[in-house]
Amino acid sequence: MKVAVVGSGAWGTALAIRLCKNGHDVTMWTFEKELIPQMEQERHNIRLPGAVLPEGLKVSGDYACVSGCKLVVVAAPSFPIRSVSRGIAPFLDEDAVLVSVTKGIENGTLLRMSQVVAEETGRKVVVLTGPSHAEEVALDVPTGCLSACEDRELAEFVQDAFMSETFRIYTSPDAVGAELGAALKNVIALCAGVTDGLGCGDNTKAMLMTRGLTEMARLGISMGAQKDTFAGLAGVGDLIVTCTSMHSRNRRAGILIGQGKSVKEAMDEVGAVVEGYYAAASAYALCKKQGVEMPIVTAAYQCLYEGLSAKDAVHALLGREKKPEQEDAGWL
Ligand SMILES: NC(=O)c1ccc[n+]([C@@H]2O[C@H](COP(=O)([O-])OP(=O)(O)OC[C@H]3O[C@@H](n4cnc5c(N)ncnc54)[C@H](O)[C@@H]3O)[C@@H](O)[C@H]2O)c1
């Protein structure tokens, strides 16, 4: 099948390699045209060191490369997702299936990534997400992801395209939960990094992850997501991988902030896209809009955008009024 992967960052590259290995005819669109000669000749992309680009993988700097493709995977970061989707729209085939693998919530509109892609292209969009470091997928490390779409046929089409012996894809009708899990866990991972940087322990991180998951599900349910999705690959699965690994840019940025670097210094030092930074602003706006309590997201927002120190944020969270763990604790 003819496939285009739109975006040549670490994740687009890893997925393009996977799709090539699955026997598809793949072209990867790149924003960084200056990297094309190196990718074509040395079969290497600086965005994903250590991975070899298969001989069959083509690279293009032209949006028209999506024409004739039956599957188009949008793999740009969240901030240019709208311009990239607008760019490919005129070249899409009538029956092309679109997939969004970007993790974020658009600043301002507060739309999920698949909604932005759908708005710009006029198509239904499948969400592919889960606990998946590009570095590991490129090396065929066994990995599980979720193909989510309310249209079962489309979710299964994407499952078939990506599934391999080492890349196991499950399906779900809950694109809302899958996408909110993907975006919000980056905010919690940034906070987990902050606690690591401050020198807190494993107990702190376990509390943060667990209470973070509660917040994620609370917001998700208020927006129509299924609670169970947050107990799956797109929720707790992705939260675990992001909060505990040094592959995670969000966690690494948080560690630097916890160690006393400014937000800008931390972003510059990580060097790649830190989606949790953008997602924190959207998540904070969304929890206000939905009237949902999200203390960790609020603390993250105040740290990243309002100058609250990491130490003060932790004290503020620990000093909140006492309460039962579950909102429906069951007591009369
Ligand atoms: N890296 C991973 O392991 C991983 C895994 C799952 C999902 N994701 C998600 O995939 C998305 C992409 O992340 P990544 O890790 O591939 O990013 P990356 O930091 O590796 O690369 C960023 C890419 O964005 C491109 N870019 C910069 N400005 C642009 C613009 N104005 N228009 C279009 N492209 C532009 C750059 O050329 C670069 O190729 C993110 O939403 C991320 O959360 C990443």
Side-chain angles (χ1 to χ4, degrees):
M1 173 167 62
K2 208 172 161 206
V3 177
V5 176
V6 185
S8 67
W11 193 218
T13 305
L15 291 176
I17 293 172
R18 175 72 268 150
L19 289 161
C20 269
K21 287 180 181 168
N22 282 9
H24 301 297
D25 173 9
V26 185
T27 303
M28 182 166 72
W29 174 86
T30 183
F31 177 73
E32 296 166 300
K33 296 186 183 54
E34 65 281 9
L35 297 181
I36 294 178
Q38 187 185 38
M39 288 196 263
E40 284 182 340
Q41 285 146 35
E42 297 169 31
R43 312 309 299 171
H44 169 255
N45 180 0
I46 52 161
R47 295 279 175 186
L48 190 56
V52 178
L53 306 183
E55 281 305 321
L57 176 59
K58 294 176 280 261
V59 188
S60 170
D62 188 347
Y63 283 135
C65 70
V66 302
S67 92
C69 291
K70 295 287 160 259
L71 181 69
V72 177
V73 182
V74 182
S78 62
F79 70 86
I81 191 101
R82 188 173 286 281
S83 60
V84 166
S85 303
R86 192 171 295 163
I88 60 171
F91 303 104
L92 290 170
D93 273 22
E94 204 51 51
D95 60 349
V97 172
L98 267 81
V99 186
S100 168
V101 300
T102 303
K103 296 182 176 178
I105 301 163
E106 192 177 45
N107 290 152
T109 65
L110 306 185
L111 291 174
R112 293 176 284 109
M113 296 292 102
S114 69
Q115 291 178 302
V116 177
V117 180
E119 228 177 56
E120 292 296 335
T121 62
R123 315 294 173 105
K124 279 189 194 163
V125 180
V126 181
V127 175
L128 183 73
T129 186
S132 50
H133 292 310
E135 296 84 348
E136 296 188 358
V137 169
L139 297 178
D140 291 329
V141 171
T143 300
C145 276
L146 191 66
S147 167
C149 184
E150 60 184 19
D151 183 326
R152 186 175 187 161
E153 234 176 88
L154 291 185
E156 288 177 352
F157 180 82
V158 170
Q159 178 183 44
D160 287 341
F162 281 95
M163 187 108 168
S164 78
E165 279 176 8
T166 55
F167 199 38
R168 185 164 173 76
I169 312 294
Y170 293 82
T171 52
S172 163
D174 185 16
V176 179
E179 252 181 332
L180 287 176
L184 296 171
K185 61 88 196 180
N186 282 333
V187 183
I188 307 301
L190 219 152
C191 298
V194 169
T195 63
D196 285 335
L198 283 171
C200 301
D202 296 343
N203 298 354
T204 319
K205 188 145 58 179
M207 172 167 63
L208 187 84
M209 289 167 68
T210 315
R211 295 307 303 171
L213 188 63
T214 303
E215 287 186 22
M216 288 162 57
R218 204 184 283 148
L219 180 68
I221 291 163
S222 83
M223 294 174 67
Q226 295 171 12
K227 190 175 181 186
D228 284 352
T229 303
F230 294 92
L233 289 166
V236 70
D238 210 355
L239 190 66
I240 291 169
V241 87
T242 317
C243 289
T244 60
S245 168
M246 281 309 278
H247 283 312
S248 166
R249 297 98 181 253
N250 295 285
R251 177 169 172 244
R252 275 190 278 139
I255 291 173
L256 294 168
I257 293 168
Q259 287 170 342
K261 297 252 163 88
S262 72
V263 173
K264 182 169 183 326
E265 285 168 340
M267 299 299 149
D268 289 348
E269 195 167 323
V270 171
V273 62
V274 178
E275 289 286 18
Y277 173 74
Y278 303 102
S282 293
Y284 179 67
L286 263 183
C287 76
K288 294 264 169 232
K289 184 176 169 205
Q290 295 295 114
V292 167
E293 201 183 10
M294 298 184 81
I296 299 173
V297 162
T298 301
Y301 177 80
Q302 290 169 339
C303 269
L304 294 170
Y305 292 93
E306 293 183 339
L308 179 69
S309 79
K311 254 191 197 149
D312 287 347
V314 171
H315 286 306
L317 284 170
L318 289 171
R320 295 178 70 246
E321 64 183 88
K322 61 184 183 175
K323 56 187 286 196
E325 184 183 32
Q326 306 297 340
E327 278 150 32
D328 50 356
W331 288 306
L332 293 176

